[in-house]
Structures are given as C-alpha cells and as structure tokens.
Amino acid sequence: MDMKAMPIALALALGATGAQANKVFVSNEKGNTVTVIDSDSWTVIDEFAAGNRPRGITISPDGTKLYVCASDDDTVRVFDTATHDELYTLPSGPDPELFVLNHSGNPLYIANEDDNLVTVVDTETHAVLAEIPVGVEPEGMAISPDGRVVVNTSETTNMAHFISTEDYQIHHNILVDQRPRYAEYTADGRKLYVSAEIGGTVSVIDIAGDGTPTLVDTIRFEVPGVLPEWLQPVGIRVTSDGKWVFVALGPANRVAVIDAATDEVVDYILVGQRVWQMAFTPDEAFLITTNGNSNDVTVIDVARQKALRSIQVGQQPWGVAVTPDGTPD
Amino acid sequence: MRRPICLLLAAALAVLSAGGAAALEVRVGVIRVDRPQLAPISRLEEWPRDLGFAGGRLADEDNATTGRFLGHTYVTETAAVPPDTAEAALDRMLGEGLRLFVVLGQGDDVLALADRAGDGALLLNAGARETRLRDADCRANLLHVAPSEAMLADAVAEFAIWKKWTRWALISGSHPEDRAMAEAYRRAAAIFGAKIVEERVFEDTGGSRRTDTGHVLVQRQIPVFSEGMKDHDLVIAADASDVFAPYLPFHMWDPRPVMGAAGLRPVSFHAATEAWGATQFQRRFEALTGRQVREEDYQVWLALRVLGEAVTRTDTADPAELRAYMLGPEFELAAFKGQKVTFRDWNGQLRQPLLLYDGRINVSVSPQDGFLHQRSPLDTLGLDAPESSCAAFR
C-alpha cells in the first residue's frame, strides 16, 4: 500500500460520498470488550466491557441498540449505541455465537453453537419464541431480503439450513463444504453465498422464485506464495448493487474480491492477520475487517478495492457492526 | 505405549424403505478388547472405563444430527472383550451383517481382525501406531485414522529443527515397542538433518516405577544414568511403555529439554486444545461424558466421523464404495486441527496435523512453517509414497 496516498484517498472518498460519521463497534473475543471507532476520523473513541467472549455483534435498524453475543455468559447483551451503557440482556440459549436481526428489528435469530439450536428471541418482550434443532455447531446466520427465510450454517454437519420465519420449520438443507462459517444473501435475494472455512471454498446457491435453493457453483481461492491450507473463507459481504462480493480469508490475511456477475475472484486485498468478519459503512464507501491475530481492523476503500489503514482495537477482534445513518448521538 | 485395549467398532447398514423415500440405517458396533497392563505412571492418566467408547458416543450424536436431515440413522452396539475372544466378537458382528469396523488396539490385534474380517469389510484403525501397518504389513481393508509412530516422531523432529536443536541424545526403553519408537526417531533424525550424538537404553528392571519412594530412587538414578553424555541440545525419550520418561525432566545430569514420551509430546489431540473451533468439541465431549477427552476418544470420534462424512456424501453404506470415496480426491473432513484431513491413497493413512503438548497447552503444531511437500505439507509427516512398501493399495 502506498502510505503517503492514504490521507488523500481518504479525503477524496469522504468528500466524494459526503459521508457522515458513523460509529463502528468491534467485539474483542479475548479482551471481553467492544471497541468503538469514529468512521470520520477513524480513531478509537471508546472501549467498554461487553461480557465474556463477545463475538456476534449487530445493531437495531434505528441504530439505537447494539446487540452482542456474550458467548461465555450464555446471553445476548444489549447496549445503548449513544452512551455505551448496558440496557438489559436477552435470553439466548447456550453459547450464542452469531445472530441476525429481522429487518424490522424483531425478532433476533441466534445460533447456539454448543446445543445444535437456533433460538428465536423477541427483542421487545424478551421471550423465547422458538428453538429450532439444526445441525452440529450452528454458526452462520442470514436472513433473506424479503424476511421469509433465515439461513443457518452448521459447521460440523456442513449444511445450510433454510428456516421459514413463519412456521420456524426447516424447509431445505443444502450440503456445502467443510466447516461452513457464514452466509450472505445478495440484495435481490436470488443468490446466497456460504463460506466453508476448512473446505476453502464459497458455495454459490441459487434461490428460485419459489424459494427453492440449488447449489450452482463453488468459488475457490489461490494466492501465489500462500499455502492452500491457509485460504480459509469466513466472513462475506456483498455490495447492495449486487456487483461485488468480499470474502475474508482468515489466516491468509487477505480479503478476496469477487465479481458477482461471474463469481470469479478478481483480486486479493492484504489486510491484518486472521481476518474474520466484515461490515460496510452505510454508504458502502468503506469495508471494515476484523483481524483477530493482529488485534486491529483494516479499513478498505470499496470503490478502489484497496486497504487504506489499520486501527488497533482490543484483544482478538471478532465481529464488527456500523451504525446506520441518522442514528441519534 | 502398550495398548491396553482393543476397541473394535463395527457399522452395518441396512436400507429401509419408508413410504417410498429411501432411508439408510447405519448400525454401528463397538468391540473393545482389554489387555492386562500396568497402571499409567501418573494417576492423572488412569484409563477411564469408557476410553474410546466416549468418543464414539459423541460421533454417534454428531452423525445422527446430520443424518436426521438426510434420512440416515446411526445405531451403535458396544462390547468389551479380552484378547482371546476378540475374533469371536468380530465373528458375531459379521454374523449380524456388520461390515464397517473401527479398531482400537495393538498392531497385531488389528491385523488379526482385519485378516479375519476379509475383503468384504472395511476397518478403520483408531489406535495402533506401528508404522509397519502402513508399510510392509498394510492391508487393503484397513485404513488408519490414528497417526503412525513415524508421523509422531516427524512432528517432534520438525519442531526441533525449527528451533535449530539438531544434536539429540536418544534415551530408549528396553521393550519392543520402545525400540520401535526409537527407530522412528532415528529415521526422523536422518530425514530432517538432526544428529543423534548419543544413545542410551533405560532397562526396565521392574523397579519401583510408581511407589511412594519412587522419586527418591529416581532422583539418584537418573542423574547417574545420564551423566557424561556428549554435548546435546535436547533429549528424545523413546518410552512407549511409560516406564521412565516422565522422570527425565529436572533429574538429568545436563539440563536439556525433553521431547517424545515426556516433556513436549506429540499427540493427535488433547483436552486443552481450543484452536480452530476445538473449544466446541471439548464442551460437547465434556457435557456428554463428564470427563476430559483422551487421544483414543478423539481418534474413535474421528474414525466414526470419517464414516459418517462418507455416508453423508455418497448416500451408501457399501464398504467398497465408502473406501473408494475416502481414498478419492473428493473426501475431506474438518477435524478441529485447522485444516482438512484426507487419506493417503498409497497406504490408507489419514493426513493430519499433530499437536505438540506440554501437559497444559498447545506449545506448537506440526507440520512446521517452511517444511514443504509437493502434495501437502502434511505429507512431510510419516511415510511418503516413494518410501512405502505397502503393496495392498497399488
């Protein structure tokens, strides 16, 4: 990376998009904290205790509430995004790892890694609405753009389970490669990407009009000088225009850039060590990656597909979420 | 290690028909053969009664959970027998139609069962470490999930070379399995460029290996035994019989790190490892069994998961079809060791990373960085294709 060009690039990007400052929340799995970064200055503005082994992290649609899976506390902790105070906890079932919010902000669908369950929790009444038995070691969670289907990936069963949000039944299962970690829909809901960490692949699943999923392609990765064993796909993000897919490659310390039209890898962006999960800023100008082993996050310029800078956070950053525009301060 | 137990696990499958939809029932049988043996040198390592079985129970749960979505069900049958009835137990299971087996035991026990089971059966070795089972004594119907003695020695050698500790003193026991372990380290030294500057044999005279006064004698014996060795960087302990190696650290004449049967030990798995999602495995195992996992438990779990994964992907229970799939390019399995495990098609050995364990933490994991191989770095551990005299897989 050209270090001198960075501030200029940043300034250009910010100027071009007219972006407002957003808060970036990063869960630190080993540090038991959440780090808060200002997306205007890209400086750390706070770090606060977030329970034991915080991993999955997300924000309510109105931007006011931060949800954190405190895995070793067997609970979801809810924080005020303005004050960073803990508001209350939600029942999560044992060992919550990742979750996804309904587009309306309610309910929350939680993967319970130790218990082979997906737990559905009402974020207003705090009641458990359903517990859905899934495969062994459920992890990845995604919700279809129309809100009708929640997808869970199970790491040892090696499946994507398609769960109806109406009857909480599994309607389809798709076998993917070893240790599926994450699932991400395209904005039109017609494609689902599922990463397989140990398989070293991303499965491309076509979603038919009636919701039937079909495995249609498998994306593989290759980086000169990097052992194939270390190309371990984890986090996935797709731009809302459906053109670009970003895949975090774990210990390969790179984010793969995939042209969604062809599902071909076009570039690899060098980031920090053991890159795990990612989040866009609301304008999609920037993509923030958590780098677990270098204890930092990397900010990627999405349009230029370049890494801009790294920011030191807490111990073993895992997940990242960004407040939407218009969030009250 | 003198294998106390021969565990035999058999799986049989029957195709059931339910309302037109084909379902597959996987009947799994487990036979364990217990051999008389001395208690381990540390009471922290006493053999649990359900050694191996416990890993099988977890694998059954894992396989059943996955099978639920595919119409595959798994049923396990278990039995523990002394050595002289092992073949009878096998015969009974064969008579019930079982054709898939997992064996945990000494090399000769495993070979006898493989030969008796015959061509129509498939056995997975989850215990025996003798390298010869992957070499001249290999059998076409026997695949190896347990790492070989050669793989374990190579895992230690790579770490020692990475540390630039190339002058080894080799102290081996007097039992045949100790001598086999010593030979694995001699081979590793030759391959990786270490020099064995001195060898000594610790005779097992049946002394007070584990009595209240054992340490008093040992404190005087070991320094004298290890006095005057040529300059060395580390000591390799080849003590498969668990007689003396744990007494080497702190008692030797020269203060040097110990690896092999004590100090830094190569293992397939241990209860402290939590990298690569292993935390989830440990928690599930402990919740199910009420104790911590042992290597034998992990290896039986892994053997059953190999079977389960092959059944999941092929939708069949035919031993020949499953064997072909396992040895083929499509087979891969996540095993909580950071990369996929696969089989070597020239001798049926499962490729896998090995953990270097000090009794508390993962000190390191082999293969080490920089040890390369045209096929996979994992093939720097153990017998490679050109040096294998296994004919049954050609």
Side-chain angles (χ1 to χ4, degrees):
Chain A
M1 185 181 6
D2 182 350
M3 301 301 284
K4 285 179 193 162
M6 275 192 339
I8 299 165
L10 260 176
L12 285 174
L14 288 168
T17 57
Q20 68 169 97
N22 305 85
K23 278 184 178 177
V24 179
F25 293 90
V26 178
S27 59
N28 300 306
E29 179 182 3
K30 293 271 189 197
N32 298 332
T33 59
V34 164
T35 300
V36 191
I37 298 166
D38 176 88
S39 77
D40 188 13
S41 63
W42 294 115
T43 54
V44 173
I45 53 175
D46 194 14
E47 181 174 343
F48 59 90
N52 289 306
R53 204 178 179 200
R55 292 193 281 179
I57 186 166
T58 193
I59 293 174
S60 60
D62 66 2
T64 60
K65 293 190 190 74
L66 177 76
Y67 296 87
V68 177
C69 287
S71 298
D72 282 357
D73 296 337
D74 298 335
T75 194
V76 169
R77 297 189 182 277
V78 185
F79 298 88
D80 184 313
T81 56
T83 64
H84 311 163
D85 292 333
E86 183 169 323
L87 301 172
Y88 46 84
T89 64
L90 291 175
S92 68
D95 196 25
E97 178 161 8
L98 255 174
F99 47 23
V100 65
L101 262 178
N102 188 287
H103 301 302
S104 70
N106 189 25
L108 185 64
Y109 309 91
I110 306 164
N112 299 122
E113 192 167 28
D114 279 358
D115 256 32
N116 306 340
L117 290 175
V118 166
T119 299
V120 185
V121 177
D122 188 306
T123 53
E124 285 163 16
T125 67
H126 304 184
V128 173
L129 301 177
E131 289 182 333
I132 305 149
V134 292
V136 183
E137 286 179 48
E139 168 140 345
M141 298 293 297
I143 186 164
S144 62
D146 64 10
R148 296 174 66 178
V149 176
V150 162
V151 171
N152 162 251
T153 65
S154 50
E155 293 176 323
T156 291
T157 290
N158 303 318
M159 280 183 184
H161 308 287
F162 293 76
I163 302 163
S164 163
T165 53
E166 283 163 27
D167 62 10
Y168 299 135
Q169 299 293 310
I170 296 175
H171 287 252
H172 301 280
N173 296 294
I174 298 278
L175 266 173
V176 294
D177 290 333
Q178 296 293 307
R179 213 165 170 75
R181 296 294 302 240
Y182 201 76
E184 176 89 341
Y185 277 98
T186 53
D188 64 6
R190 297 305 301 272
K191 247 201 291 198
L192 179 77
Y193 293 95
V194 177
S195 61
E197 180 185 22
I198 296 295
T201 60
V202 169
S203 295
V204 184
I205 296 168
D206 175 77
I207 310 294
D210 67 354
T212 304
T214 308
L215 181 67
V216 292
D217 199 4
T218 303
I219 301 170
R220 294 169 200 282
F221 304 90
E222 193 179 346
V223 179
V226 177
L227 289 173
E229 288 80 5
W230 301 126
L231 299 165
Q232 301 186 349
V234 183
I236 308 173
R237 290 293 172 190
V238 186
T239 54
S240 55
D241 61 10
K243 288 185 175 167
W244 299 103
V245 185
F246 294 87
V247 178
L249 294 178
N253 308 334
R254 283 163 175 83
V255 171
V257 184
I258 294 162
D259 181 340
T262 60
D263 286 330
E264 298 284 339
V265 181
V266 296
D267 200 5
Y268 295 93
I269 303 169
L270 193 60
V271 293
Q273 291 174 23
R274 203 204 77 166
V275 55
W276 217 238
Q277 296 290 348
M278 303 179 291
F280 286 117
T281 50
D283 56 10
E284 294 184 3
F286 303 106
L287 180 70
I288 301 118
T289 75
T290 59
N291 311 319
N293 286 354
S294 44
N295 296 333
D296 55 14
V297 301
T298 299
V299 182
I300 290 172
D301 180 325
V302 174
R304 293 173 57 232
Q305 299 176 357
K306 300 283 181 206
L308 296 177
R309 64 195 299 167
S310 289
I311 302 156
Q312 203 71 20
V313 291
Q315 200 180 344
Q316 202 158 322
W318 196 98
V320 53
V322 185
T323 52
D325 290 343
T327 298
D329 289 332
Chain B
M1 196 176 297
R2 266 178 270 173
R3 289 281 147 201
I5 281 162
C6 177
L7 179 76
L8 177 70
L9 183 142
L13 302 121
V15 177
L16 304 176
S17 189
L24 200 59
E25 187 183 62
V26 185
R27 283 167 56 220
V28 180
V30 180
I31 302 174
R32 195 176 75 183
V33 182
D34 294 332
R35 282 183 175 267
Q37 72 134 30
L38 296 172
I41 203 163
S42 165
R43 70 179 301 275
L44 295 181
E45 293 170 6
E46 280 174 2
W47 308 109
R49 286 171 177 272
D50 59 352
L51 185 72
F53 290 127
R57 282 170 60 204
L58 181 63
D60 286 343
E61 285 205 349
D62 289 355
N63 285 338
T65 302
T66 301
R68 195 155 47 84
F69 301 109
L70 298 166
H72 302 160
T73 53
Y74 296 80
V75 182
T76 297
E77 205 181 308
T78 64
V81 290
D84 54 358
T85 60
E87 294 195 10
L90 174 69
D91 289 347
R92 180 173 59 77
M93 289 196 168
L94 287 168
E96 290 172 9
L98 308 192
R99 291 294 179 271
L100 298 172
F101 302 91
V102 175
V103 186
L104 179 57
Q106 289 187 356
D108 287 336
D109 293 332
V110 173
L111 287 182
L113 292 172
D115 290 341
R116 192 169 186 94
D119 290 344
L122 178 63
L123 289 81
L124 298 186
N125 165 27
R129 292 179 162 180
E130 290 89 336
T131 304
R132 63 188 169 87
L133 269 58
R134 290 85 169 161
D135 201 15
D137 287 343
C138 74
R139 299 288 188 275
N141 65 348
L142 179 63
L143 307 187
H144 307 275
V145 169
S148 67
E149 207 72 83
M151 291 167 69
L152 295 159
D154 290 351
V156 169
E158 288 191 8
F159 183 72
I161 297 298
W162 189 84
K163 294 292 294 180
K164 303 195 193 315
W165 293 341
T166 55
R167 297 175 303 171
W168 299 0
L170 176 61
I171 301 179
S172 47
S174 54
H175 296 282
E177 50 271 41
D178 304 333
R179 290 198 287 272
M181 187 186 266
E183 186 51 38
Y185 281 102
R186 283 185 207 103
R187 175 186 169 277
I191 289 175
F192 292 99
K195 184 174 168 64
I196 295 175
V197 296
E198 174 124 10
E199 282 204 37
R200 292 191 182 180
V201 175
F202 192 99
E203 291 289 341
D204 181 6
T205 55
S208 52
R209 166 179 166 274
R210 193 193 162 190
T211 67
D212 289 344
T213 55
H215 75 277
V216 176
L217 286 173
V218 162
Q219 188 161 344
R220 296 179 182 282
Q221 286 171 349
I222 299 286
V224 174
F225 171 80
S226 59
E227 187 183 358
M229 288 204 286
K230 292 190 182 112
D231 283 353
H232 54 282
D233 301 313
L234 82 157
V235 170
I236 298 285
D239 179 25
S241 310
D242 199 24
V243 168
F244 65 93
Y247 289 116
L248 292 178
F250 309 109
H251 283 312
M252 288 182 304
W253 187 268
D254 298 307
R256 294 290 179 273
V258 178
M259 299 187 196
L264 193 64
R265 290 181 288 137
V267 296
S268 64
F269 208 71
H270 60 81
T273 186
E274 55 186 347
W276 305 304
T279 306
Q280 278 71 248
F281 176 93
Q282 308 283 11
R283 288 180 175 188
R284 281 188 286 128
F285 184 87
E286 287 159 15
L288 183 69
T289 67
R291 65 172 175 84
Q292 295 187 331
V293 71
R294 305 281 288 252
E295 283 186 277
E296 291 85 348
D297 298 314
Y298 172 77
Q299 287 160 194
V300 171
W301 174 84
L302 186 53
L304 278 167
R305 283 290 300 130
V306 164
L307 281 174
E309 177 65 16
V311 170
T312 296
R313 300 287 171 175
T314 59
D315 198 28
T316 179
D318 178 71
E321 285 184 53
L322 291 178
R323 180 183 181 277
Y325 180 77
M326 290 173 193
L327 292 173
E330 298 298 316
F331 179 84
E332 58 185 52
L333 184 63
F336 302 102
K337 296 211 272 193
Q339 56 178 291
K340 62 187 108 174
V341 296
T342 58
F343 281 98
R344 293 173 181 154
D345 62 6
W346 63 87
N347 67 357
Q349 171 68 53
L350 191 77
R351 298 181 177 94
Q352 58 191 299
L354 294 171
L355 313 180
L356 298 174
Y357 180 49
D358 71 342
R360 291 190 73 195
I361 58 165
N362 264 344
V363 171
S364 186
V365 180
S366 285
Q368 297 294 320
D369 275 353
F371 289 89
L372 300 176
H373 189 282
Q374 67 272 23
R375 203 176 294 107
S376 156
L378 293 178
D379 279 348
T380 63
L381 304 179
L383 287 182
D384 201 357
E387 57 190 339
S388 167
S389 37
C390 169
F393 282 72
R394 292 197 186 114

